[in-house]
Amino acid sequence: MKMLTTFEQVVKYAESLPSVTVAVAAAADQEVLEAVLDAKKHRIADFLLFGDEEKIRSIGKEIGLDLASGEVIHATSIAQACLLAVTAVSEKRADVLMKGMVQTADFLRAVLNKEKGLRAGKILSHVASFEVPGFDHLIHVTDPALNVAPELKDKVQILENVIDFCHSLGLSEPKVAVLGAVEVVNPSMQPTLDAAALSQMNRRGQIKGAIVDGPFALDNAVSVESAEHKGIHSPVAGKADVLFVPDIEAGNILYKSMVYFAKAKIGALVLGAKAPIVLTSRADSAEAKLYSIAMAVLQADHFKKR
């Protein structure tokens, strides 16, 4: 599998794979159902839609989405819709879970349900993938949404999650830049100490499947010119595939800067669960949700092969 460098390539590759079934929690939303319609047009997924059946069918009719009788499962509340969708994945009636018009905390409560949830013994983490104008490859940011202030042991698992994710996109050895405010180790700045530790763990084979280096400031992680100007010599410098942020605040700001300032295209998943989980912002477009579904299709295929 060659490295996929655009979302168009991701969608096209998903079209070549066996179709998967996506369970959507709280699907009564126009952007969500437009993404469902687009995914059906590309023939990359089938769907089980959980939520207010009347609203789902009404919105579907407005946008030209033809829904069969078994595709919509009525739920009397958002919480019930989430739990039913998670249960469908847990019981292997669906391959992928997708967040609809529901707050992330309520959605994750169902994902972490002790009886029907999708925990796999690892930390759950979030990755947002961006197609940024002027860059010749996708840039993946982790973790901008779930882990608030991860400690070093948590960062190891987050890193392992995103490396495995990158492998599903054809990146056999992704370049990971562990970010901080500066590109030197400063004992007073914990993110730089964590970055140095993660880099050393990678060099010693404790973290495999990627080239990990840091700390990097953002500029010398994505700009070869900036890295050269500061005398940084590393295979990751200026060429990062993954930007590993120190905490949720840095990640959230970077995420929204990519969308609103850089006008980047986006797709996003939760990693580390028993199945791929599509988790985008409720404000994200139908296009972003389609790209996320396509990435989840690749991730589901990767799970099966692994």
Side-chain angles (χ1 to χ4, degrees):
M1 176 184 177
K2 71 174 184 177
M3 182 176 75
L4 305 176
T5 59
T6 67
F7 281 121
E8 182 180 357
Q9 291 177 4
V10 171
V11 173
K12 188 171 182 179
Y13 190 79
E15 291 174 347
S16 72
L17 297 173
S19 180
V20 304
T21 298
V22 180
V24 185
D29 173 74
Q30 183 167 330
E31 298 285 355
V32 169
L33 293 177
E34 284 179 353
V36 169
L37 177 60
D38 288 342
K40 281 175 166 282
K41 287 179 179 177
H42 286 282
R43 298 182 180 179
I44 61 174
D46 299 313
F47 291 87
L48 294 174
L49 307 175
F50 297 86
D52 186 316
E53 182 171 8
E54 185 178 344
K55 283 186 179 180
I56 292 171
R57 292 195 179 279
S58 176
I59 296 169
K61 187 175 181 181
E62 287 178 11
I63 65 174
L65 173 61
D66 185 27
L67 295 170
S69 59
E71 283 186 280
V72 183
I73 296 90
H74 182 68
T76 57
S77 68
I78 295 293
Q80 186 188 38
C82 291
L83 188 56
L84 288 173
V86 168
T87 300
V89 177
S90 180
E91 295 179 350
K92 309 295 185 184
R93 290 182 283 117
D95 309 284
V96 172
L97 179 66
M98 179 174 174
K99 172 181 171 287
M101 183 50 71
V102 54
Q103 291 187 359
T104 297
D106 294 331
F107 178 71
L108 290 176
R109 194 170 294 115
V111 171
L112 300 175
N113 181 276
K114 289 183 179 179
E115 294 181 4
K116 300 292 185 179
L118 300 176
R119 273 193 180 278
K122 295 189 203 177
I123 194 169
L124 297 184
S125 58
H126 185 265
V127 63
S129 301
F130 298 94
E131 185 178 324
V132 186
F135 286 79
D136 63 358
H137 62 284
L138 295 173
I139 295 174
H140 313 288
V141 175
T142 196
D143 174 349
L146 293 189
N147 293 282
V148 176
E151 298 178 2
L152 179 61
K153 61 183 176 61
D154 303 317
K155 290 181 177 181
V156 172
Q157 292 186 57
I158 294 169
L159 187 49
E160 290 171 343
N161 284 348
V162 78
I163 290 170
D164 186 66
F165 164 75
C166 286
H167 292 170
S168 75
L169 298 178
L171 269 168
S172 59
E173 198 174 46
K175 297 179 177 68
V176 181
V178 187
L179 297 185
V182 295
E183 61 279 346
V184 294
V185 177
N186 184 331
S188 299
M189 302 173 76
Q190 187 61 43
T192 69
L193 298 175
D194 289 350
L198 292 170
S199 302
Q200 186 67 356
M201 291 173 76
N202 175 241
R203 292 189 187 100
R204 293 191 172 187
Q206 292 172 261
I207 299 172
K208 298 179 174 66
I211 302 172
V212 182
D213 203 2
F216 285 100
L218 178 62
D219 56 345
N220 42 64
V222 298
S223 167
V224 172
E225 182 180 358
S226 176
E228 290 176 347
H229 181 71
K230 293 189 176 182
I232 300 171
H233 303 288
S234 163
V236 177
K239 300 176 182 178
D241 301 299
V242 176
L243 301 177
F244 193 108
V245 296
D247 56 38
I248 197 171
E249 292 184 5
N252 184 271
I253 292 168
L254 179 56
Y255 178 118
K256 289 175 180 174
S257 297
M258 291 279 210
V259 174
Y260 290 98
F261 290 151
K263 305 301 180 185
K265 297 179 181 180
I266 181 175
L269 297 178
V270 171
L271 310 174
K274 291 179 181 177
I277 300 175
V278 174
L279 194 154
T280 55
S281 168
R282 285 174 290 168
D284 283 337
S285 66
E287 179 185 62
K289 290 174 169 62
L290 171 65
Y291 295 151
S292 302
I293 292 167
M295 291 197 305
V297 171
L298 269 63
Q299 185 79 346
D301 182 69
H302 181 63
F303 277 23
K304 290 173 184 176
K305 290 176 179 175
R306 186 179 57 188

